[in-house]
Amino acid sequence: MAKRYRGFKIPVKVGDEDNKRKNPPDNSKLNRIIEEVEKSGEEALEDIEISTDIEENFQIIQKVFKDCSDLVVRRFTIGEQSVKCLTIFIDGIVDKMRFTSNVLQPLMLYIRMTPQEKEFKKEDLIKSLEYSSITLGELTEIYKFKDVAKHTLMANCILIIDGNTTALAISTAQWQARGISESTTENVAKGPKEAFIENIRANTALLRKKIQSSNLKMEVLNVGRFNHNGIIIAYIKGIADEGILNEVRRRIKRIDIDVVIESSYIEQLIEDDSFSPFPQMDVTERPDTAAAALAEGRIVILVDNSPFVLIVPTVFANLLTSAEDYYERFFYITLLRILRYISFGVALLGPSIYVAITTFHQEMVPTSLLVTFANARADIPFPAAIEALLMEFTFEILKEAGLRLPKAIGQAVSIVGALVIGEAAVQAGIVSQIMVIVVALTGIASFTIPKFNAAVTVRFLRFPFVLLAGTLGIFGIIMGILFLLIHMASLRSFGVPYLSPFTPMTLADWKDTFIRLPIWLLRKRPSFVKPTNINRIKKGLRPKPPKHH
Amino acid sequence: MDFMRRIISLVLTIILLVSSTGCWGKRELNEISIVSATGIDVENDGSIRMTVLAVTPISSGKEIAANRSSTWIGTATGTNITEAGKNLRSIATKRLAWFHNSVIIISEKAARRGIKEFLDYFVRNREFRLENYVLIADRSALETLQIPADIEKNLPAEINGLIDNIDEWSKSYVSKLKDLLVNVSSSNCCSGIVTGKFGYTESERNTFSTARELYKRMTEDDKRLGIAYLEGSAVIRGDKMTGWMSGNETRGYMWITDKVKPGSIVVKGNESEGSLVMENMRNETNIDVDMINNRFIATIKVKVLGTLMEETLKVDLNSGEVMERLENAISGVIVGEMQAAVNKAQKDFKTDIFDFGGYVERKYPKLWKKVKDDWSRLFSEMEVKFEVDTTIRRSGKITSTVYSDIR
């Protein structure tokens, strides 16, 4: 490389005098820029190019990052020609060791040992350094102040050299992030334990580790005005549907928001129906779930600073699916799936059916059971509907209190709650034992729903159902269910009907809904995701051990 | 904003809808008494007495509960059954709800007077299920419902247990409200139905608690306290009861109508040297009614499969010839039971409880139209033939006999 520069015979003298000479005519322009920056901050930098005059650049940077105490500016000169240099970075988010050994040391020390050093032409210095001195992997040439600010904030270190209109953004990022740890919201007994973290690069790495193919595409989209790392849309090319992909891109691109704190922001901005109680996106912190979704032809949206990734399109059946469903024997999982569908119903309708039966339809239960119900309710002063609402509220209060409190106190809350509400309320004759059983069963049933966002839906919908049951009985419940079903049937998740594969019915896709067939039978990807390539597993993979005689 | 207006109007609609119902039809569980048995009597002055046995909620696990009975018996009279039912409310403290009523007890007197008006009431009233059992009591329904429950929680529970146990011995048959309804609406002028006889015997106590302490504490009065039983049946012709049938006659009826459930069939040996008992396991009855020489002849073919329960005749069970003889003897007993039932129906009651008329109607529809008015006479004169084919399929745990001299 160095050979290229051998032709330059006359070393250019770089000194203060040159700058001073040039400065006066530019001063007015500089002042104007500084004024603008003062007025409208970073936005004023849009079209301003890096000047050849390092002092000018320095002033602009200082103005832009005024009062940003975490900005570090290091000025030094290179080589015997003493070319003025400027590096800036934000303290705390760059790796200082890397900065010192791979940027400062080569420029300040090693460059003097190279024979070509004296022949460097000042104007070409940046190219020369880029090619032969800076020993870091990621370098970006930048020309505008807009990018200087952006790259600085993306934890890069910026190198500006006097006389050059090109600056270098050197990747020295070292974001503060916790290590990859176990999933806390989606526990499994068997299967990978790792979970996504708040660093998007670590998250993409976790996905890449699972799917090692160049077809796994990760498109970056920036949406936050104050975020630069933004959003990554991950999908497998050749499997994921282009139409859905375009829709995802379109919906994300229209977002204009100051700052994206969590992936839920994005979820709420791109979902199909904000007023639906149902989540229209799978949210997971498990890389294995995300990778499996990618392999199914679904699209994963990663958001920086959030350990939760979004998976689209999502249908109702996905909400009752757990990662572990694919790691255990399929008989057992089929049983579990059916159990989950039942407990979804129990969690949704448990108290309301009890209320409806005990206030309107006593003829529906067997006599001996009715007598038990009646005896339990004999001295209760409230109507069943009020009793149910009372208990449900208490349950929600307990749950909320236990959730927000520090772990140590949370224990105390659950003990006091269980004892006081459970025992004392029954003893005092405020609620009946049966109601306590119903509410407890309902609560526990709602915990069997693997996806937390779906459990929330059920918990919310319970209240209107109790009201309907208390006023109109089973008739009211049926009306509520019809209303809900109509809503669910009309709901779409990125164009995919929410109730597929039940309606519109594709029988072949039932293989992974309330039943789960063995892996070798899950040969095709779910067709409602509209995968470009539907075949997943080769035919005839049923294990066949050799016959022994 | 249009969207907000839609949301607000939706919320308002729901609130109005929900509040306008005013919990219409609401009936809290602690406001009702669950009637589980209903009794009907006819008083001497011709008024109707309705007696209900209701379960009233008592909070469980409290001290008071021990001293309070959860069953409540109320009785009231009225000029008709509806009136009697309404008059019950003057003494009831909770709303009476009949939808869990399982037994209707009609006194013999009321049954002999005719049950048409009661039937109309029970079928019309939406709180009564057609699945209700109808029993005829040999005394008044009021007295019957006052029989203290022995081991179950209350009398209706005991009655349901007795009815379930019919399947184990087949000497009673209980009809449901719907069967009675079908019977009264039959085109057969002398169609009849059989339903259980519910009685009470005070002569001796048949069941005891075996707990020694309880037994010691039992007074003589306690020991005399009788026990409710279900045996035999009442025959109802049209809507009026005509008489009683004994347990064996009832089983004869059940053989013919293919309603028989396992029971014991006893063959006495000669000179009381022993007996043979078979329990029928599976059976099938086919009835064919023919018109031969201007006479109706009913042929009843019964196929029985059974298990030996007892065998003290000292015969060789391994011999095919002996087995055939035993089977024929059992067939004879079954024929005897059926013959007894047919005799009673033809001679005493003149009631077609077997629905032979229905067979004639299906086989000779045109002829039936001519003869149906005279069916009462024709039925009592018709000939009934029996063909019973018994097979002893199993002999229990042992294949031969316990007597050593045979082996």
Side-chain angles (χ1 to χ4, degrees):
Chain A
M1 281 262 182
K3 271 188 178 163
R4 227 183 110 188
Y5 296 98
R6 201 161 270 176
F8 299 113
K9 290 271 166 69
I10 311 151
V12 178
K13 174 102 174 115
V14 182
D16 284 341
E17 300 94 74
D18 286 353
N19 290 335
K20 269 172 194 158
R21 224 185 312 122
K22 278 178 194 164
N23 260 350
D26 284 25
N27 241 351
S28 59
K29 189 183 157 202
L30 177 66
N31 286 339
R32 208 187 63 236
I33 293 169
I34 287 176
E35 240 171 67
E36 255 179 67
V37 168
E38 186 109 14
K39 212 161 68 191
S40 49
E42 229 175 278
E43 283 163 36
L45 296 176
E46 194 60 43
D47 287 325
I48 300 168
E49 297 194 344
I50 296 170
S51 153
T52 48
D53 186 349
I54 197 155
E55 290 304 324
E56 197 175 300
N57 294 339
F58 179 57
Q59 279 183 42
I60 294 174
I61 287 164
Q62 277 207 317
K63 204 75 209 171
V64 172
F65 288 97
K66 196 183 169 201
D67 295 336
C68 294
S69 62
D70 51 353
L71 185 81
V72 176
V73 183
R74 176 75 163 87
R75 306 187 67 179
F76 59 94
T77 57
I78 297 178
E80 290 177 2
Q81 298 178 18
S82 293
V83 183
K84 279 191 184 172
C85 283
L86 183 66
T87 57
I88 56 169
F89 61 86
I90 301 261
D91 198 8
I93 59 177
V94 302
D95 184 357
K96 282 189 192 164
M97 279 300 291
R98 262 197 292 169
F99 172 71
T100 311
S101 57
N102 301 335
V103 180
L104 276 189
Q105 275 184 5
L107 295 184
M108 294 172 77
L109 300 177
Y110 306 151
I111 199 162
R112 290 170 190 261
M113 301 170 193
T114 57
Q116 301 87 6
E117 190 262 329
K118 289 192 178 96
E119 300 165 11
F120 282 167
K121 209 172 163 191
K122 185 172 134 188
E123 283 74 24
D124 294 323
L125 201 51
I126 207 97
K127 272 267 184 265
S128 160
L129 293 177
E130 183 183 341
Y131 286 119
S132 60
S133 286
I134 293 165
T135 54
L136 272 174
E138 262 178 71
L139 285 183
T140 319
E141 289 183 11
I142 49 180
Y143 311 97
K144 290 181 176 174
F145 269 104
K146 181 185 78 173
D147 295 322
V148 170
K150 182 179 148 190
H151 280 275
T152 311
L153 293 164
M154 282 167 72
N156 291 340
C157 152
I158 310 290
L159 174 67
I160 301 173
I161 299 176
D162 191 36
N164 286 271
T165 54
T166 307
L168 284 185
I170 306 157
S171 170
T172 48
Q174 192 184 43
W175 294 100
Q176 297 301 322
R178 70 191 163 97
I180 291 169
S181 55
E182 265 193 46
S183 166
T184 49
T185 54
E186 292 158 88
N187 291 328
V188 295
K190 190 176 161 193
K193 304 280 183 191
E194 61 193 5
F196 285 126
I197 58 168
E198 285 79 358
N199 187 333
I200 197 167
R201 265 298 154 227
N203 293 350
T204 54
L206 284 171
L207 282 183
R208 189 62 82 179
K209 199 171 120 217
K210 292 199 163 47
I211 302 174
Q212 289 164 341
S213 160
S214 59
N215 279 338
L216 170 59
K217 305 294 182 193
M218 300 203 180
E219 290 182 15
V220 178
L221 290 175
N222 291 331
V223 293
R225 265 176 265 147
F226 297 168
N227 293 86
H228 292 299
N229 282 345
I231 294 172
I232 290 179
I233 306 173
Y235 60 93
I236 299 182
K237 197 173 163 63
I239 298 178
D241 178 48
E242 277 297 324
I244 297 176
L245 200 53
N246 283 335
E247 182 61 21
V248 173
R249 288 188 193 117
R250 193 186 64 78
R251 288 192 197 180
I252 291 178
K253 275 179 186 158
R254 65 177 263 280
I255 297 175
D256 186 4
I257 187 174
D258 54 352
V259 58
V260 177
I261 303 286
E262 221 278 331
S263 58
S264 312
Y265 278 48
I266 302 298
E267 182 187 354
Q268 290 169 55
L269 286 167
I270 64 172
E271 66 191 351
D272 287 69
D273 186 354
S274 293
F275 287 88
S276 169
F278 290 94
Q280 294 135 56
M281 252 166 266
D282 235 349
V283 177
T284 183
E285 62 167 350
R286 297 184 57 85
D288 54 338
T289 306
L294 285 172
E296 272 185 358
R298 294 160 80 196
I299 297 158
V300 173
I301 301 168
L302 300 99
V303 178
D304 198 14
N305 299 317
S306 169
F308 293 96
V309 303
L310 310 173
I311 301 172
V312 294
T314 289
V315 296
F316 177 72
N318 291 132
L319 301 177
L320 297 176
T321 305
S322 154
E324 205 176 356
D325 288 2
Y326 303 93
Y327 308 151
E328 291 286 354
R329 299 194 73 76
F330 77 97
F331 303 110
Y332 174 60
I333 294 307
T334 299
L335 178 76
L336 271 194
R337 287 268 178 94
I338 294 168
L339 193 79
R340 279 191 209 130
Y341 277 83
I342 292 171
S343 50
F344 183 86
V346 170
L348 186 65
L349 301 174
S352 45
I353 285 182
Y354 174 72
V355 166
I357 282 179
T358 53
T359 40
F360 292 97
H361 315 282
Q362 288 99 343
E363 62 275 10
M364 278 178 64
V365 282
T367 312
S368 47
L369 185 63
L370 185 72
V371 171
T372 312
F373 281 179
N375 285 346
R377 275 198 54 78
D379 292 336
I380 308 299
F382 303 113
I386 302 291
E387 193 192 352
L389 286 177
L390 199 74
M391 279 309 285
E392 283 295 337
F393 267 120
T394 318
F395 182 70
E396 290 297 316
I397 289 169
L398 279 174
K399 198 151 60 177
E400 189 63 16
L403 206 65
R404 307 276 168 249
L405 275 175
K407 260 182 197 155
I409 313 174
Q411 291 274 326
V413 166
S414 53
I415 291 168
V416 168
L419 285 181
V420 172
I421 308 303
E423 273 299 309
V426 171
Q427 285 280 317
I430 294 172
V431 292
S432 62
Q433 285 147 325
I434 310 276
M435 185 56 85
V436 173
I437 294 170
V438 167
V439 170
L441 184 73
T442 310
I444 290 172
S446 75
F447 294 144
T448 62
I449 301 169
K451 300 283 156 73
F452 186 71
N453 48 2
V456 171
T457 304
V458 170
R459 275 162 60 189
F460 161 72
L461 285 175
R462 233 158 28 209
F463 290 96
F465 268 107
V466 169
L467 276 180
L468 279 173
T471 50
L472 294 167
I474 293 283
F475 178 65
I477 295 179
I478 296 296
M479 285 216 306
I481 290 174
L482 284 180
F483 193 78
L484 211 60
L485 281 178
I486 290 168
H487 167 70
M488 284 167 87
S490 67
L491 199 58
R492 297 283 184 277
S493 173
F494 288 84
V496 174
Y498 198 57
L499 281 181
S500 25
F502 305 118
T503 171
M505 192 172 83
T506 39
L507 215 52
D509 292 331
W510 286 24
K511 61 186 183 288
D512 190 14
T513 50
F514 52 80
I515 54 168
R516 202 276 281 166
L517 296 184
I519 295 286
W520 50 268
L521 272 176
L522 301 178
R523 276 176 41 230
K524 307 226 158 135
R525 302 194 164 90
S527 65
F528 52 86
V529 179
K530 300 172 195 158
T532 319
N533 178 4
I534 197 152
N535 291 318
R536 187 170 186 192
I537 295 171
K538 205 182 131 195
K539 200 174 175 178
L541 278 190
R542 179 178 175 181
K544 281 180 198 133
K547 284 205 172 70
H548 296 285
H549 296 286
Chain B
M1 199 176 140
D2 189 42
F3 184 69
M4 281 315 287
R5 277 179 61 186
R6 268 174 61 192
I7 291 288
I8 289 168
S9 56
L10 183 70
V11 169
L12 278 178
T13 313
I14 289 170
I15 290 174
L16 282 174
L17 187 76
V18 162
S19 59
S20 66
T21 65
C23 307
W24 171 64
K26 180 174 83 94
R27 195 167 39 182
E28 288 288 338
L29 256 187
N30 37 5
E31 294 165 2
I32 59 170
S33 271
I34 307 156
V35 177
S36 43
T38 308
I40 303 294
D41 283 311
V42 174
E43 296 291 291
N44 288 332
D45 60 357
S47 63
I48 309 292
R49 173 178 290 281
M50 185 191 256
T51 311
V52 293
L53 196 150
V55 179
T56 307
I58 289 182
S59 78
S60 47
K62 294 248 171 98
E63 302 245 333
I64 336 156
N67 301 324
R68 257 165 67 186
S69 168
S70 64
T71 36
W72 174 85
I73 299 171
T75 181
T77 56
T79 50
N80 54 38
I81 185 166
T82 313
E83 196 62 21
K86 286 289 171 200
N87 289 345
L88 260 179
R89 267 68 172 200
S90 70
I91 51 167
T93 53
K94 287 177 186 283
R95 291 173 70 160
L96 295 174
W98 264 275
F99 36 67
H100 275 281
N101 192 54
S102 58
V103 183
I104 294 168
I105 294 172
I106 300 173
S107 71
E108 186 182 348
K109 193 177 162 190
R112 284 192 191 276
R113 180 179 170 270
I115 56 168
K116 212 172 255 172
E117 61 167 308
F118 314 138
L119 215 52
D120 180 80
Y121 172 78
F122 290 137
V123 172
R124 200 175 293 282
N125 190 330
R126 74 183 173 91
E127 287 202 357
F128 280 96
R129 297 173 188 223
L130 291 179
E131 290 292 306
N132 270 310
Y133 290 112
V134 179
L135 294 173
I136 309 294
D138 57 356
R139 57 188 66 205
S140 80
L142 176 59
E143 276 178 287
T144 308
L145 282 175
Q146 283 170 3
I147 298 171
D150 191 23
I151 48 170
E152 300 287 344
K153 262 189 232 146
N154 46 38
L155 189 66
E158 296 216 320
I159 294 174
N160 280 318
L162 295 175
I163 292 171
D164 286 347
N165 261 354
I166 288 176
D167 290 357
E168 303 258 316
W169 75 309
S170 303
K171 287 201 179 171
S172 184
Y173 180 76
V174 181
S175 291
K176 292 177 173 174
L177 204 50
K178 61 178 179 201
D179 303 326
L180 266 70
L181 185 68
V182 169
N183 180 44
V184 293
S185 57
S186 164
S187 67
N188 187 341
C189 67
C190 62
S191 83
I193 194 159
V194 164
T195 193
K197 175 189 180 186
F198 187 60
Y200 179 68
T201 161
E202 270 177 357
S203 56
E204 55 174 318
R205 191 180 164 96
N206 296 330
T207 64
F208 290 109
S209 165
T210 53
R212 185 165 292 197
E213 281 306 309
L214 284 176
Y215 188 75
K216 266 196 279 181
R217 266 190 273 136
M218 267 173 85
T219 60
E220 282 306 305
D221 278 350
D222 279 340
K223 284 180 183 168
R224 260 207 311 282
L225 211 54
I227 185 77
Y229 69 90
L230 182 63
E231 189 181 354
S233 54
V235 175
I236 296 168
R237 184 182 203 243
D239 78 318
K240 288 188 178 62
M241 178 180 157
T242 51
W244 301 106
M245 286 206 297
S246 73
N248 280 338
E249 286 158 2
T250 307
R251 189 160 69 176
Y253 159 79
M254 290 165 85
W255 281 117
I256 295 171
T257 49
D258 208 4
K259 285 166 179 163
V260 77
K261 293 278 159 51
S264 59
I265 301 147
V266 184
V267 176
K268 282 267 184 319
N270 295 330
E271 297 137 27
S272 69
E273 59 184 359
S275 61
L276 174 89
V277 184
M278 188 193 83
E279 179 174 26
N280 53 315
M281 293 166 355
R282 269 192 288 156
N283 42 270
E284 193 190 334
T285 307
N286 284 303
I287 300 178
D288 196 17
V289 180
D290 288 309
M291 174 84 174
I292 296 167
N293 300 335
N294 267 338
R295 226 174 143 224
F296 286 104
I297 297 173
T299 315
I300 292 150
K301 288 180 189 160
V302 183
K303 269 187 196 164
V304 190
L305 276 184
T307 307
L308 271 189
M309 303 300 283
E310 278 179 47
E311 192 274 304
T312 51
L313 288 172
K314 303 189 183 175
V315 290
D316 182 12
L317 288 179
N318 294 321
S319 145
E321 194 192 320
V322 172
M323 280 305 259
E324 205 169 298
R325 229 173 50 216
L326 293 180
E327 287 169 353
N328 287 340
I330 289 167
S331 298
V333 173
I334 295 171
V335 167
E337 281 180 1
M338 291 195 286
Q339 189 64 59
V342 168
N343 285 346
K344 203 118 193 203
Q346 284 185 325
K347 307 271 150 39
D348 296 4
F349 306 141
K350 296 190 174 19
T351 306
D352 183 9
I353 50 177
F354 315 108
D355 195 28
F356 288 155
Y359 289 93
V360 175
E361 185 179 5
R362 284 189 284 280
K363 196 164 180 181
Y364 308 106
K366 283 178 187 156
L367 180 63
W368 174 250
K369 278 183 187 145
K370 280 182 234 157
V371 301
K372 71 176 178 184
D373 294 331
D374 199 22
W375 182 247
S376 183
R377 185 184 60 82
L378 288 170
F379 169 73
S380 48
E381 284 169 4
M382 78 189 282
E383 187 185 337
V384 183
K385 284 181 183 166
F386 302 102
E387 284 171 30
V388 180
D389 176 18
T390 308
T391 311
I392 300 175
R393 183 49 74 77
R394 286 173 205 152
S395 63
K397 266 197 301 196
I398 50 174
T399 50
S400 57
T401 170
V402 289
Y403 292 104
S404 58
D405 50 340
I406 305 252
R407 269 183 287 138

